[in-house]
Amino acid sequence: MAEILETLSTYIARIEKGQDQMKKPIVLSTHVTMPTLKDGDIEKVPIACLFNGVSMFYTVTVPPKTHVRTHSHDEDIFRYVVRGSLTINDSIQVNEGVWFLIRANTSYKIDTETGYTSIMGYRNSSACLSNQPGGKHLIDEQAKKKT
């Protein structure tokens, strides 16, 4: 097994080698092969997205039996599902532990029977929009403490 000193530059170089696997409008982690780093019994699998300029990350919790209407974004949208599952465009099943990337200007909808929790990143957006009028969210001033 070869050895590597993982630095930002070696990480970026390895990710860039795999970018040809990332050309589809919707990319799941199960579609991308990336070498795993081993440290004894610990494994580190890089997420093959280059997050240049990521400005906003959220933990998003979606309740069971939710339907998110067809829409698109003017930037790539990244999500990593940490709990539950969802279906994209009636046919792409995404389960817990899988990340996916929706390319800019790709129309998609999401349905979930179980509900899900994901980590979501916006790269260039100046706003995280809501389905509410004007795209505005309601804000709960009572800060939630995650356990």
Side-chain angles (χ1 to χ4, degrees):
M1 201 177 301
E3 292 184 338
I4 186 172
L5 176 61
E6 185 79 319
T7 62
L8 179 58
S9 61
T10 60
Y11 172 85
I12 290 171
R14 290 185 321 109
I15 298 299
E16 285 176 342
K17 282 183 186 177
Q19 290 305 291
D20 60 323
Q21 302 173 69
M22 303 280 294
K23 293 182 179 174
K24 292 181 179 180
I26 300 174
V27 181
L28 275 61
S29 58
T30 53
H31 298 157
V32 180
T33 303
M34 288 299 302
T36 300
L37 300 178
K38 303 276 285 173
D39 183 6
D41 291 336
I42 298 170
E43 294 184 351
K44 297 177 183 177
V45 179
I47 295 173
C49 295
L50 293 174
F51 298 109
N52 297 335
V54 169
S55 56
M56 298 186 290
F57 275 106
Y58 297 91
T59 301
V60 178
T61 302
V62 178
K65 300 194 183 302
T66 295
H67 169 75
V68 178
R69 64 177 171 72
T70 300
H71 67 290
S72 65
H73 301 270
D74 60 1
E75 65 175 338
D76 295 346
I77 300 296
F78 170 85
R79 289 191 184 138
Y80 177 80
V81 179
V82 294
R83 186 175 306 130
S85 65
L86 58 100
T87 304
I88 303 170
N89 292 345
D90 297 323
S91 63
I92 302 170
Q93 183 65 36
V94 181
N95 296 314
E96 188 172 302
V98 172
W99 60 260
F100 63 96
L101 180 70
I102 306 286
R103 293 290 184 187
N105 304 311
T106 299
S107 291
Y108 72 102
K109 67 177 186 161
I110 293 178
D111 294 289
T112 179
E113 286 298 313
T114 63
Y116 68 92
T117 299
S118 68
I119 297 170
M120 180 177 190
Y122 291 100
R123 189 169 59 96
N124 295 321
S125 182
S126 59
C128 171
L129 298 177
S130 165
N131 286 324
Q132 302 300 316
K136 294 182 178 179
H137 291 86
L138 299 175
I139 188 162
D140 183 353
E141 296 292 345
Q142 301 298 317
K144 286 187 176 181
K145 192 173 191 178
K146 294 285 184 182
T147 56

